[in-house]
Amino acid sequence: AQSVAQPEDQVNVAEGNPLTVKCTYSVSGNPYLFWYVQYPNRGLQFLLKYITGDNLVKGSYGFEAEFNKSQTSFHLKKPSALVSDSALYFCAALTGGGNKLTFGTGTQLKVEL
Amino acid sequence: NAGVTQTPKFQVLKTGQSMTLQCAQDMNHNSMYWYRQDPGMGLRLIYYSASEGTTDKGEVPNGYNVSRLNKREFSLRLESAAPSQTSVYFCASGTEYSNQPQHFGDGTRLSIL
């Protein structure tokens, strides 16, 4: 079965430090991968995607993600975290007809002063 | 730009009551989706509509029905609500291109007593 895993329920980082939110996937064929962010009482907002090409993908708000085919991972990164980055982050993979997405369980990022 | 609009934003039902969640998008997207979000489980696809006039089951369709009223609107109906359907429901829309992200509404928070 195709799946997406986010092994950490919560990640705590000090403001100014680099952050990483982990994601691994198990899909057939070439993976189409996405990161979304959710702020309280809001819907998901698209951050970035990997479709093909460079393994390092740059997205919104200074976020980037590194695709690693051998490790089947797509980790979200940011060089310097902000308190305003605190939110719930979801990794997703395209899995099947109709452009269906399978989501990970989400990682709560908390950035502290 | 409204994007994806969901109504209502909040609702409390009693077990056995019925209700319809409404969703409309103004981006001329072909595809629309209904997800539920539960703590620790990420987003799970209930139903989707790849184009006007078609609907298909997702991962958790039991207890739900959908109607793709036209290209803009996609409704989700609970015929006989159960406490297990207490959740946050998100509607999303997307193009027919698999490399494009889905766009989400702000959700309907549904409690069933």
Side-chain angles (χ1 to χ4, degrees):
Chain A
Q2 302 186 93
S3 62
V4 175
Q6 293 180 243
E8 300 157 318
D9 291 337
Q10 181 161 323
V11 170
N12 296 323
V13 177
E15 188 174 51
N17 284 359
L19 69 86
T20 299
V21 181
K22 296 179 180 178
C23 172
T24 60
Y25 64 90
S26 174
V27 301
S28 56
N30 292 321
Y32 285 14
L33 302 166
F34 301 82
W35 274 102
Y36 288 85
V37 60
Q38 184 182 33
Y39 297 101
N41 299 315
R42 299 298 305 274
L44 277 67
Q45 297 177 28
F46 168 71
L47 275 180
L48 51 79
K49 63 183 178 181
Y50 173 82
I51 303 300
T52 187
D54 289 342
N55 289 341
L56 186 63
V57 178
K58 294 190 183 297
S60 306
Y61 313 121
F63 283 93
E64 56 192 27
E66 186 171 10
F67 172 71
N68 187 315
K69 188 173 184 178
S70 63
Q71 297 186 6
T72 62
S73 66
F74 188 53
H75 299 333
L76 182 70
K77 301 184 179 188
K78 188 175 183 182
S80 179
L82 299 172
V83 171
S84 58
D85 293 330
S86 298
L88 184 58
Y89 290 81
F90 288 99
C91 181
L94 198 71
T95 52
N99 296 337
K100 291 182 290 186
L101 290 175
T102 294
F103 285 85
T105 51
T107 298
Q108 185 71 48
L109 174 66
K110 186 174 183 181
V111 182
E112 300 166 310
L113 289 171
Chain B
N1 291 334
V4 179
T5 302
Q6 292 184 236
T7 55
K9 295 188 185 303
F10 304 93
Q11 186 70 49
V12 178
L13 294 179
K14 294 181 180 179
T15 297
Q17 287 184 317
S18 63
M19 112 161 262
T20 300
L21 280 60
Q22 306 288 353
C23 175
Q25 52 94 6
D26 63 1
M27 294 172 284
N28 201 35
H29 285 163
N30 285 329
S31 302
M32 297 186 74
Y33 309 83
W34 277 106
Y35 295 90
R36 60 178 288 172
Q37 182 181 16
D38 301 292
M41 302 190 74
L43 275 76
R44 293 180 292 168
L45 183 65
I46 304 171
Y47 271 93
Y48 68 101
S49 171
S51 61
E52 186 178 356
T54 68
T55 60
D56 285 288
K57 294 178 180 179
E59 181 184 354
V60 288
N62 291 345
Y64 305 95
N65 286 300
V66 291
S67 295
R68 183 75 183 266
L69 305 171
N70 48 55
K71 191 171 186 178
R72 290 186 65 248
E73 298 172 287
F74 187 39
S75 63
L76 178 72
R77 183 162 177 84
L78 287 68
E79 290 290 352
S80 179
S84 61
Q85 294 178 304
T86 293
S87 188
V88 183
Y89 291 85
F90 288 99
C91 177
S93 70
T95 72
E96 63 270 34
Y97 303 108
S98 57
N99 62 354
Q100 296 302 308
Q102 294 178 13
H103 298 257
F104 286 79
D106 282 340
T108 294
R109 285 146 186 85
L110 182 61
S111 292
I112 299 163
L113 307 177

